[in-house]
Amino acid sequence: MIFLHDFGIGIEEYEKKGKKNNFPLFKWCPNCQAIAYGNLHRHGYYWRYGINQEEELHIPICRFRCLVCQVTISILPSFLIPYFQHTLDTMMERLSSVLKGEKVKGSRQQLEQHLKRFYESIHWTHSFFTDAGYQLGFTKDIKKEAQKYVTMIQDFGESTSFFRRSWGHLSSYFMGKLILPYLPPKKNTIHPT
Ligand SMILES: [Zn+2]
């Protein structure tokens, strides 16, 4: 399962720190709630790419494994969207540019896929903001709606706060297709420092 974690830093600093990042410690298994002590073990890293506006960075993702439920837990930094290489900030900037008709560098095909996914998930995004107390209509002009929500997401607070706040809404997440497994309460983690 994926556990979203705010490291409080951007991808560039995360890459520099590599395996020395301040990874969270759990009090209990986020999947089965078994007490972490003696049950939840560090399970190495896998490496993935993260793309910001300038470059492609290679970063480690820390994993845990629970001896009780056998689930592997990956600690995803909250500047990344599951299964996408572009960081959240970069994704939003690219979507914002393409919706304004501006030129965006990189693969056109990939950009169109991202835009398509954003359109597909726009009702989910609308639903999150409505639940959060915003009074919002929804018109038939999908492009206009998309521009509206890109701006709202970018204005929501610090870069990843929309993403973290909306994680788990209707058992899904921003740009996601998958239904998430049980989401742990936020107080589960302890920082070593
Ligand atoms: Zn477990």
Side-chain angles (χ1 to χ4, degrees):
M1 71 178 286
I2 297 166
F3 187 90
L4 193 71
H5 181 69
D6 180 17
F7 285 82
I9 54 175
I11 188 169
E12 298 79 11
E13 202 182 331
Y14 184 94
E15 188 221 19
K16 273 197 204 103
K17 288 186 174 168
K19 290 183 182 178
K20 292 195 174 116
N21 272 292
N22 194 10
F23 296 108
L25 298 171
F26 291 98
K27 287 182 195 163
W28 56 81
C29 168
N31 187 54
C32 73
Q33 281 80 56
I35 190 104
Y37 184 77
N39 292 321
L40 214 57
H41 288 226
R42 287 288 283 269
H43 191 59
Y45 301 86
Y46 73 88
W47 291 79
R48 61 162 279 172
Y49 288 99
I51 304 173
N52 65 11
Q53 286 290 25
E54 279 88 42
E55 55 188 335
E56 202 174 82
L57 302 165
H58 202 211
I59 58 169
I61 301 295
C62 179
R63 286 187 303 192
F64 288 84
R65 188 160 170 86
C66 175
L67 297 183
V68 178
C69 68
Q70 306 294 317
V71 155
T72 300
I73 300 135
S74 304
I75 312 297
L76 187 78
S78 54
F79 50 76
L80 289 174
I81 308 166
Y83 311 109
F84 287 96
Q85 292 196 343
H86 288 87
T87 63
L88 182 68
D89 279 350
T90 308
M91 178 72 81
M92 296 318 297
E93 281 165 35
R94 285 161 58 86
L95 290 173
S96 171
S97 298
V98 71
L99 286 163
K100 284 180 199 150
E102 293 167 7
K103 205 169 152 40
V104 180
K105 62 178 180 182
S107 155
R108 181 78 213 171
Q109 198 191 354
Q110 189 183 45
L111 183 65
E112 271 162 18
Q113 279 169 4
H114 292 173
L115 189 62
K116 185 168 171 266
R117 180 70 77 87
F118 186 70
Y119 281 158
E120 283 166 1
S121 65
I122 201 156
H123 284 95
W124 177 90
T125 305
H126 170 79
S127 147
F128 166 75
F129 277 109
T130 307
D131 271 17
Y134 289 75
Q135 301 277 323
L136 296 161
F138 200 92
T139 66
K140 283 195 178 125
D141 188 342
I142 186 81
K143 195 174 167 187
K144 224 173 160 179
E145 291 299 321
Q147 280 170 325
K148 178 175 89 184
Y149 285 110
V150 165
T151 307
M152 284 181 70
I153 290 166
Q154 288 179 319
D155 289 349
F156 194 73
E158 53 174 295
S159 60
T160 62
S161 76
F162 160 78
F163 187 48
R164 280 183 281 118
R165 278 273 303 280
S166 63
W167 180 262
H169 175 68
L170 302 178
S171 299
S172 190
Y173 53 86
F174 179 60
M175 302 280 277
K177 269 185 182 167
L178 302 171
I179 298 298
L180 290 173
Y182 170 77
L183 286 152
K186 288 206 170 89
K187 282 190 194 126
N188 189 358
T189 58
I190 317 160
H191 278 282
T193 49

